[in-house]
Amino acid sequence: MIINIIFFKFTLFLYFIGASFCLLNLASKKKGIGVIGLWATGAGFLLHTIAIFARMFEAGYIPITNMHEALSFFSWAIILTFLVVELAYKIKSLGSFLVPLAFVLIASAAAQPMTIRELPPILQSAWLGIHTILILLGGAAFALSFAVGVMYLIQDRHLKKKKIDNLYRKLPSLDVLDEINHRAIIFGYMLFTLGIITGSIWAEYAWGSYWSWDPKQTMSAVIWFIYTAFLHARFTYGWRGRKAAYLSIGGFVTVIFTFVGINLIIKTIHNFTS
């Protein structure tokens, strides 16, 4: 068995343990459950990083060229985002929303063909790797905004009903969630914008045109305009709170549809190879 697949399968197991304990932490009053989830997730992230680099050395290129690799990297980027935010804010309950999402993505990657294949000449460009890394890192930041948006709505509902229970105590304040949401979208927006720019450069190199209105390109433009409108509304009209949470959720649903949905229902030049 190829080394990268061995590490990948261990990662899958550890993310399952991490996701299970993170979800259990949200419902349980016992202390320490969240710490187990965090350590399992962190160990999984370390092995996941090794798996990605091992695959890169085995393949000879940045491994984000097929659905298995893209889903795996997206999962890795979401866990990276979670660990960075956990380090900064100490919000273990965030793992209850992000780690299961990352596990679903890596489990979906496990269901895809894992064979390393030689890239066709049109894909043999450094711009491809730069473009996909930026887009997926931006997507991970949007996943964070989605998660804190859901958390915001849950916490807001608890406050309206004056329901002070275990879940209420484990979720951060509305101000903290709104702040993280705002920062996540700004960071994701910058990465996603750079991803579109580098993708256009690669498109010119590969197909002789910076923009071809391919379905994925079109939906990427839609995503960019959604988050542009979000930031404009935030800075100009002071949109925050529930409005920001709903926009974060809607924006990420569009991201998932563009990343996965289009690949399944429409054949485009941006479809990942199998």
Side-chain angles (χ1 to χ4, degrees), residues 155-198:
Q155 192 72 311
D156 183 61
R157 185 178 179 84
H158 274 69
L159 285 171
K160 282 189 172 182
K161 290 188 173 184
K162 297 181 180 179
K163 187 178 180 181
I164 311 301
D165 58 7
N166 184 54
L167 179 58
Y168 170 82
R169 294 186 181 92
K170 291 200 172 185
L171 295 179
S173 69
L174 295 181
D175 287 340
V176 169
L177 290 170
D178 190 65
E179 176 191 341
I180 297 173
N181 189 10
H182 178 56
R183 291 185 176 184
I185 286 181
I186 288 178
F187 190 63
Y189 181 79
M190 291 190 295
L191 290 172
F192 199 81
T193 301
L194 289 173
I196 289 176
I197 292 170
T198 53

Side-chain angles (χ1 to χ4, degrees), residues 221-254:
V222 169
I223 292 169
W224 188 84
F225 278 113
I226 287 173
Y227 287 105
T228 299
F230 175 96
L231 291 173
H232 174 71
R234 176 109 184 181
F235 289 121
T236 305
Y237 303 108
W239 277 27
R240 58 184 65 244
R242 278 181 293 166
K243 290 180 180 179
Y246 282 124
L247 280 171
S248 299
I249 293 168
F252 186 65
V253 169
T254 309

